[in-house]
Amino acid sequence: MMSDDVKEVLISEEEIVERCRELGAQISEDYADKDLVIVGLLKGSVPFMAELMKNISIDCEVEFMAVASYSGTESQGDVRILKDLDRSIQGEDVLIVEDIVDTGKTLLKVKELLYSKGARSVKVVSLLDKPSRRIVDIQAEYVGFTVEDKFVIGFGLDFNQKYRNLPYVGVLKEEFYEG
Ligand code: 5GP
């Protein structure tokens, strides 16, 4: 079973659900007089986006984008658009929904890209933050949980495209990395 591959559960489903309530309430308050468009980065943000948006009580639009680093397993800092936005965000207040901020390179590029498309403001909500790994100076305005420098899986986060459907955030057993 998939869950047999998990060494430890770091953040339970209940904790994520509760944190999404708080984040949704805060975002609803902060964006009450703005034109909010939430932009999920595929595929990792999907479960977080679903949980978070239920708790946003103001009018907002929902968009998705898919980006990829150019090469290698580490983020390279230059992103390729696999799926672009379906509509203009000119003059809108964009909130990027991300699974984890690691080096920060992906987010920096996506933020620049969304500003170049005419967004009035671009902020970030991330389920997880791994500040110890940061290379570029970027910080998500809203963070669900801060995690140590461990490779995490579940609640959208994958290892070789697996484990995204786990309903919690966990750490994979070492034997699976060594493959
Ligand atoms: P960054 O550009 O911030 O280095 O990369 C962010 C992306 O790297 C995340 O959206 C995620 O896809 C991937 N990533 C970074 N850390 C982890 C991790 O601990 N686990 C998983 N599964 N993906 C990660």
Side-chain angles (χ1 to χ4, degrees), residues 1-76:
M1 256 175 63
M2 179 178 59
S3 54
D4 295 335
D5 302 357
V6 177
K7 186 166 118 183
E8 64 177 309
V9 175
L10 288 184
I11 308 162
S12 70
E13 184 171 15
E14 291 72 25
E15 288 176 290
I16 297 171
V17 166
E18 178 53 31
R19 190 74 186 106
C20 285
R21 279 205 197 101
E22 296 169 358
L23 288 172
Q26 187 65 56
I27 290 163
S28 304
E29 198 181 308
D30 296 350
Y31 283 86
D33 56 356
K34 297 196 163 71
D35 298 312
L36 177 60
V37 181
I38 49 178
V39 175
L41 300 188
L42 296 172
K43 307 168 189 164
S45 72
V46 169
F48 178 47
M49 172 67 113
E51 195 52 48
L52 181 69
M53 64 192 269
K54 289 189 279 183
N55 294 291
I56 295 179
S57 56
I58 55 168
D59 287 341
C60 74
E61 293 192 28
V62 181
E63 284 285 324
F64 286 99
M65 263 184 96
V67 298
S69 324
Y70 267 106
S71 58
T73 47
E74 291 280 317
S75 300
Q76 297 296 306

Side-chain angles (χ1 to χ4, degrees), residues 65-164:
M65 263 184 96
V67 298
S69 324
Y70 267 106
S71 58
T73 47
E74 291 280 317
S75 300
Q76 297 296 306
D78 207 3
V79 294
R80 189 159 54 100
I81 300 173
L82 305 180
K83 186 226 171 289
D84 208 342
L85 299 172
D86 294 339
R87 57 177 291 272
S88 164
I89 51 162
Q90 182 79 41
E92 308 273 2
D93 296 296
V94 175
L95 184 60
I96 300 170
V97 182
E98 177 62 305
D99 52 2
I100 187 166
V101 188
D102 189 37
T103 67
K105 289 178 177 180
T106 309
L107 266 185
L108 190 70
K109 287 287 166 189
V110 173
K111 265 186 108 161
E112 283 172 12
L113 186 72
L114 297 179
Y115 271 121
S116 76
K117 287 173 177 284
R120 181 164 57 193
S121 67
V122 182
K123 291 186 177 178
V124 179
V125 56
S126 184
L127 174 64
L128 305 175
D129 186 18
K130 223 194 258 180
S132 57
R133 292 254 310 165
R134 201 76 88 255
I135 288 173
V136 298
D137 185 22
I138 192 167
Q139 180 57 45
E141 282 78 6
Y142 306 91
V143 170
F145 303 89
T146 301
V147 291
E148 295 170 50
D149 187 9
K150 287 179 181 170
F151 189 81
V152 292
I153 51 159
F155 219 86
L157 291 136
D158 75 308
F159 177 63
N160 289 344
Q161 298 302 325
K162 267 180 73 181
Y163 309 109
R164 292 192 197 276

